[in-house]
Amino acid sequence: MTTATGGVRAHARIVARDDGRGGTSLPVLDGDGPLALRRTRGSGAEARVMLVGAMSGPLGGDHFTVEADVESGARLKIGSAAATIALPGQGKSEARYDVRLSVADGGELHWLPEQLISARGSDLHVTTHVDVGAAGRLVLREEQVLGRVGEDPGRLGSRIRVRVAGRLVLDQELACGPGAPGGWDGPAGLGGCRAVGQLVVVRPEFDVNPVAARVLGENAAVLPLAGPAVLVSAVAADALRLRRLLDEALDALA
Protein backbone atom coordinates (compact mmCIF):
# COMPACT_ATOMS: atom_id res chain seq x y z
CA MET A 1 0.00 0.00 0.00
CA THR A 2 1.17 3.52 -0.74
CA THR A 3 -0.23 6.78 0.53
CA ALA A 4 0.06 9.86 -1.60
CA THR A 5 -1.31 13.38 -1.44
CA GLY A 6 -4.14 12.27 -3.69
CA GLY A 7 -5.17 9.33 -1.50
CA VAL A 8 -4.43 5.68 -0.74
CA ARG A 9 -3.19 3.24 -3.40
CA ALA A 10 -3.92 -0.39 -2.51
CA HIS A 11 -3.66 -3.63 -4.47
CA ALA A 12 -4.82 -7.21 -3.89
CA ARG A 13 -4.02 -10.25 -6.04
CA ILE A 14 -5.28 -13.82 -6.02
CA VAL A 15 -4.15 -16.77 -8.11
CA ALA A 16 -6.15 -20.02 -7.96
CA ARG A 17 -4.60 -23.24 -9.28
CA ASP A 18 -5.64 -26.88 -9.58
CA ASP A 19 -3.71 -28.68 -6.84
CA GLY A 20 -3.71 -32.02 -8.67
CA ARG A 21 -5.61 -33.71 -5.82
CA GLY A 22 -9.15 -32.66 -6.65
CA GLY A 23 -8.90 -29.28 -4.94
CA THR A 24 -7.78 -25.70 -5.55
CA SER A 25 -4.64 -24.11 -4.14
CA LEU A 26 -3.96 -20.39 -3.76
CA PRO A 27 -0.26 -19.85 -4.53
CA VAL A 28 -0.84 -16.09 -4.50
CA LEU A 29 -3.05 -14.46 -1.86
CA ASP A 30 -1.72 -10.99 -1.28
CA GLY A 31 -3.54 -7.85 -0.18
CA ASP A 32 -2.46 -4.64 1.49
CA GLY A 33 -3.96 -1.72 3.39
CA PRO A 34 -7.75 -1.72 3.08
CA LEU A 35 -7.70 -4.82 0.82
CA ALA A 36 -7.05 -7.66 3.24
CA LEU A 37 -7.63 -11.22 1.95
CA ARG A 38 -8.60 -14.22 4.06
CA ARG A 39 -9.00 -17.81 2.91
CA THR A 40 -12.12 -19.42 4.37
CA ARG A 41 -13.36 -23.00 4.37
CA GLY A 42 -14.27 -24.13 0.87
CA SER A 43 -16.52 -26.87 -0.42
CA GLY A 44 -15.28 -29.79 -2.52
CA ALA A 45 -12.85 -28.59 -5.17
CA GLU A 46 -13.70 -24.94 -4.55
CA ALA A 47 -11.48 -22.49 -2.70
CA ARG A 48 -13.07 -19.51 -1.01
CA VAL A 49 -11.59 -16.11 -0.30
CA MET A 50 -13.06 -13.26 1.71
CA LEU A 51 -12.15 -9.64 1.02
CA VAL A 52 -12.03 -7.89 4.39
CA GLY A 53 -12.12 -4.09 4.55
CA ALA A 54 -9.31 -3.23 6.94
CA MET A 55 -9.83 0.54 6.58
CA SER A 56 -12.61 2.95 5.64
CA GLY A 57 -13.00 3.68 1.99
CA PRO A 58 -12.65 4.19 -0.79
CA LEU A 59 -12.42 7.89 -0.02
CA GLY A 60 -11.98 10.66 -2.55
CA GLY A 61 -8.61 10.27 -4.27
CA ASP A 62 -8.14 6.59 -3.30
CA HIS A 63 -7.35 3.97 -5.95
CA PHE A 64 -8.00 0.32 -5.12
CA THR A 65 -7.24 -2.59 -7.46
CA VAL A 66 -8.25 -6.25 -7.07
CA GLU A 67 -6.95 -8.93 -9.46
CA ALA A 68 -7.93 -12.60 -9.56
CA ASP A 69 -6.59 -15.23 -11.97
CA VAL A 70 -8.24 -18.65 -12.05
CA GLU A 71 -6.18 -21.24 -13.88
CA SER A 72 -7.44 -24.32 -15.72
CA GLY A 73 -9.15 -26.83 -13.43
CA ALA A 74 -9.35 -24.42 -10.47
CA ARG A 75 -12.56 -23.27 -8.80
CA LEU A 76 -12.71 -20.06 -6.77
CA LYS A 77 -15.41 -18.11 -4.96
CA ILE A 78 -14.67 -14.57 -3.80
CA GLY A 79 -16.91 -12.65 -1.43
CA SER A 80 -16.57 -9.73 0.97
CA ALA A 81 -17.13 -9.53 4.69
CA ALA A 82 -19.26 -6.39 4.51
CA ALA A 83 -20.59 -3.78 2.14
CA THR A 84 -18.15 -1.29 0.64
CA ILE A 85 -19.04 2.34 1.40
CA ALA A 86 -17.79 5.07 -0.91
CA LEU A 87 -17.20 8.17 1.23
CA PRO A 88 -16.12 11.74 0.53
CA GLY A 89 -12.46 12.46 1.17
CA GLN A 90 -10.55 15.58 2.12
CA GLY A 91 -9.69 16.17 -1.53
CA LYS A 92 -12.18 16.69 -4.35
CA SER A 93 -10.76 14.13 -6.77
CA GLU A 94 -12.71 10.97 -7.56
CA ALA A 95 -11.92 7.59 -6.07
CA ARG A 96 -11.31 4.57 -8.30
CA TYR A 97 -11.93 0.87 -7.74
CA ASP A 98 -10.63 -1.45 -10.46
CA VAL A 99 -11.45 -5.17 -10.64
CA ARG A 100 -9.59 -7.41 -13.10
CA LEU A 101 -10.67 -11.03 -13.37
CA SER A 102 -9.32 -13.82 -15.57
CA VAL A 103 -10.73 -17.34 -15.93
CA ALA A 104 -8.84 -19.90 -18.04
CA ASP A 105 -10.42 -22.75 -20.01
CA GLY A 106 -11.72 -25.26 -17.49
CA GLY A 107 -11.60 -22.73 -14.63
CA GLU A 108 -14.55 -21.40 -12.65
CA LEU A 109 -14.94 -18.14 -10.74
CA HIS A 110 -17.77 -16.77 -8.61
CA TRP A 111 -17.27 -13.06 -7.89
CA LEU A 112 -19.92 -12.27 -5.25
CA PRO A 113 -19.01 -9.20 -3.17
CA GLU A 114 -21.47 -7.43 -0.91
CA GLN A 115 -23.12 -4.20 -2.00
CA LEU A 116 -21.35 -0.98 -2.88
CA ILE A 117 -23.00 1.96 -1.12
CA SER A 118 -22.58 5.42 -2.60
CA ALA A 119 -22.73 7.85 0.35
CA ARG A 120 -23.65 11.50 -0.08
CA GLY A 121 -20.72 13.63 -1.20
CA SER A 122 -18.67 10.70 -2.52
CA ASP A 123 -17.35 10.38 -6.08
CA LEU A 124 -16.40 6.85 -7.15
CA HIS A 125 -15.74 5.21 -10.50
CA VAL A 126 -15.68 1.40 -10.63
CA THR A 127 -14.35 -0.63 -13.56
CA THR A 128 -14.62 -4.39 -13.90
CA HIS A 129 -12.71 -6.16 -16.67
CA VAL A 130 -13.22 -9.90 -17.13
CA ASP A 131 -11.59 -12.35 -19.54
CA VAL A 132 -13.06 -15.86 -19.69
CA GLY A 133 -11.72 -18.76 -21.76
CA ALA A 134 -14.00 -20.56 -24.20
CA ALA A 135 -14.53 -23.38 -21.69
CA GLY A 136 -14.41 -21.16 -18.57
CA ARG A 137 -17.29 -20.53 -16.20
CA LEU A 138 -18.22 -17.30 -14.42
CA VAL A 139 -20.82 -15.91 -12.05
CA LEU A 140 -20.34 -12.19 -11.43
CA ARG A 141 -22.64 -10.10 -9.27
CA GLU A 142 -22.48 -6.35 -8.78
CA GLU A 143 -24.89 -4.40 -6.59
CA GLN A 144 -24.96 -0.64 -6.07
CA VAL A 145 -26.99 1.14 -3.40
CA LEU A 146 -27.53 4.86 -3.92
CA GLY A 147 -27.21 6.51 -0.54
CA ARG A 148 -27.65 5.27 2.98
CA VAL A 149 -31.09 5.32 4.62
CA GLY A 150 -32.69 8.72 4.09
CA GLU A 151 -29.60 10.05 2.29
CA ASP A 152 -29.04 11.30 -1.24
CA PRO A 153 -26.38 9.38 -3.19
CA GLY A 154 -22.94 10.50 -4.20
CA ARG A 155 -21.73 10.36 -7.77
CA LEU A 156 -21.19 6.79 -8.95
CA GLY A 157 -19.88 5.55 -12.27
CA SER A 158 -19.59 1.88 -13.15
CA ARG A 159 -18.34 0.02 -16.22
CA ILE A 160 -18.31 -3.74 -16.85
CA ARG A 161 -16.43 -5.30 -19.78
CA VAL A 162 -16.57 -9.07 -20.32
CA ARG A 163 -14.70 -11.03 -22.99
CA VAL A 164 -15.25 -14.71 -23.71
CA ALA A 165 -12.61 -16.49 -25.81
CA GLY A 166 -11.23 -13.08 -26.72
CA ARG A 167 -14.60 -11.80 -27.96
CA LEU A 168 -16.26 -8.83 -26.30
CA VAL A 169 -19.75 -9.88 -25.17
CA LEU A 170 -20.59 -7.04 -22.78
CA ASP A 171 -19.54 -3.41 -22.38
CA GLN A 172 -21.95 -1.64 -20.07
CA GLU A 173 -21.73 1.71 -18.30
CA LEU A 174 -23.86 3.18 -15.53
CA ALA A 175 -23.75 6.71 -14.10
CA CYS A 176 -25.84 7.87 -11.16
CA GLY A 177 -26.01 10.76 -8.73
CA PRO A 178 -25.02 14.44 -8.97
CA GLY A 179 -23.47 15.33 -12.30
CA ALA A 180 -24.64 12.15 -14.04
CA PRO A 181 -26.45 12.52 -17.39
CA GLY A 182 -30.04 13.68 -17.03
CA GLY A 183 -32.72 11.03 -16.70
CA TRP A 184 -30.68 8.50 -14.73
CA ASP A 185 -33.38 8.46 -12.04
CA GLY A 186 -36.36 8.83 -14.38
CA PRO A 187 -38.71 6.27 -15.96
CA ALA A 188 -36.10 5.28 -18.57
CA GLY A 189 -33.46 4.90 -15.85
CA LEU A 190 -33.89 3.65 -12.31
CA GLY A 191 -37.48 4.85 -11.98
CA GLY A 192 -36.92 6.16 -8.46
CA CYS A 193 -35.33 2.94 -7.21
CA ARG A 194 -32.24 3.21 -5.01
CA ALA A 195 -30.64 -0.18 -5.63
CA VAL A 196 -29.40 -1.48 -8.99
CA GLY A 197 -27.62 -4.72 -9.80
CA GLN A 198 -26.14 -6.83 -12.56
CA LEU A 199 -25.53 -10.54 -12.77
CA VAL A 200 -23.32 -11.96 -15.51
CA VAL A 201 -23.25 -15.72 -16.01
CA VAL A 202 -20.91 -17.44 -18.48
CA ARG A 203 -21.32 -21.17 -19.13
CA PRO A 204 -20.12 -23.18 -22.15
CA GLU A 205 -23.46 -25.00 -22.35
CA PHE A 206 -25.22 -21.75 -23.23
CA ASP A 207 -23.72 -22.17 -26.71
CA VAL A 208 -25.78 -25.36 -27.17
CA ASN A 209 -28.82 -24.34 -25.13
CA PRO A 210 -29.09 -20.54 -25.34
CA VAL A 211 -31.10 -18.70 -22.72
CA ALA A 212 -34.14 -16.82 -23.97
CA ALA A 213 -34.69 -13.16 -23.15
CA ARG A 214 -37.42 -12.65 -20.60
CA VAL A 215 -38.72 -10.35 -17.89
CA LEU A 216 -38.60 -11.46 -14.26
CA GLY A 217 -41.38 -9.74 -12.35
CA GLU A 218 -41.55 -5.97 -12.74
CA ASN A 219 -37.95 -5.01 -12.00
CA ALA A 220 -35.58 -7.54 -13.60
CA ALA A 221 -34.76 -8.80 -17.08
CA VAL A 222 -32.68 -11.66 -18.51
CA LEU A 223 -30.74 -10.76 -21.65
CA PRO A 224 -28.69 -13.30 -23.64
CA LEU A 225 -25.34 -11.92 -24.81
CA ALA A 226 -23.41 -12.54 -28.03
CA GLY A 227 -21.70 -15.66 -26.73
CA PRO A 228 -22.23 -18.30 -24.03
CA ALA A 229 -23.23 -15.61 -21.55
CA VAL A 230 -26.28 -14.00 -19.97
CA LEU A 231 -26.84 -10.62 -18.32
CA VAL A 232 -29.47 -10.08 -15.65
CA SER A 233 -30.26 -6.45 -14.82
CA ALA A 234 -32.43 -5.49 -11.88
CA VAL A 235 -33.55 -2.48 -9.85
CA ALA A 236 -35.23 -2.43 -6.45
CA ALA A 237 -36.25 -0.13 -3.65
CA ASP A 238 -33.49 -1.40 -1.36
CA ALA A 239 -30.52 -3.76 -1.12
CA LEU A 240 -32.46 -6.66 0.40
CA ARG A 241 -35.03 -6.75 -2.38
CA LEU A 242 -32.31 -6.42 -5.00
CA ARG A 243 -30.43 -9.42 -3.59
CA ARG A 244 -33.60 -11.50 -3.65
CA LEU A 245 -34.19 -10.62 -7.31
CA LEU A 246 -30.66 -11.57 -8.34
CA ASP A 247 -30.70 -14.77 -6.29
CA GLU A 248 -33.98 -15.81 -7.90
CA ALA A 249 -32.56 -15.05 -11.35
CA LEU A 250 -29.46 -17.16 -10.68
CA ASP A 251 -31.61 -20.05 -9.44
CA ALA A 252 -33.71 -19.79 -12.61
CA LEU A 253 -30.57 -20.16 -14.74
CA ALA A 254 -29.43 -23.31 -12.92
Side-chain angles (χ1 to χ4, degrees):
M1 180 185 73
T2 60
T3 303
T5 304
V8 173
R9 305 291 186 268
H11 183 268
R13 185 163 184 257
I14 307 165
V15 174
R17 181 173 297 160
D18 184 351
D19 66 6
R21 302 187 301 274
T24 297
S25 64
L26 299 174
V28 178
L29 187 64
D30 183 30
D32 56 18
L35 299 176
L37 300 173
R38 301 288 184 268
R39 181 167 188 169
T40 61
R41 181 173 295 181
S43 175
E46 180 184 81
R48 295 185 181 179
V49 172
M50 192 70 67
L51 185 60
V52 180
M55 296 169 55
S56 297
L59 308 177
D62 290 351
H63 189 171
F64 297 172
T65 303
V66 178
E67 294 182 292
D69 297 308
V70 180
E71 299 180 0
S72 180
R75 296 180 61 192
L76 176 64
K77 178 180 286 187
I78 303 174
S80 58
T84 297
I85 304 179
L87 297 166
Q90 293 183 348
K92 294 185 178 181
S93 57
E94 73 171 10
R96 297 190 60 84
Y97 201 129
D98 296 330
V99 178
R100 302 167 188 161
L101 310 174
S102 176
V103 186
D105 284 347
E108 182 172 349
L109 172 63
H110 289 223
W111 172 259
L112 302 171
E114 295 301 309
Q115 298 89 356
L116 169 63
I117 301 173
S118 175
R120 183 173 57 192
S122 64
D123 187 355
L124 176 65
H125 188 76
V126 182
T127 60
T128 303
H129 293 270
V130 190
D131 281 288
V132 184
R137 303 172 71 87
L138 171 76
V139 176
L140 180 148
R141 182 185 69 211
E142 288 196 352
E143 299 166 309
Q144 294 93 19
V145 179
L146 305 179
R148 292 167 290 194
V149 176
E151 176 185 66
D152 290 332
R155 178 175 171 82
L156 176 64
S158 173
R159 184 177 185 180
I160 302 176
R161 287 173 56 90
V162 180
R163 293 181 180 273
V164 179
R167 180 184 183 186
L168 184 67
V169 300
L170 176 66
D171 190 343
Q172 174 177 283
E173 291 192 66
L174 173 71
C176 303
W184 68 269
D185 197 26
L190 302 186
C193 292
R194 282 295 176 262
V196 56
Q198 303 82 36
L199 184 71
V200 180
V201 181
V202 178
R203 294 176 181 160
E205 55 265 33
F206 288 164
D207 260 340
V208 179
N209 298 304
V211 176
R214 62 185 184 275
V215 175
L216 299 175
E218 297 182 354
N219 294 323
V222 178
L223 303 170
L225 302 177
V230 171
L231 170 68
V232 178
S233 293
V235 296
D238 55 47
L240 181 59
R241 296 177 191 180
L242 177 66
R243 177 64 59 84
R244 287 174 178 166
L245 280 172
L246 295 179
D247 283 348
E248 290 171 3
L250 186 58
D251 289 342
L253 293 172

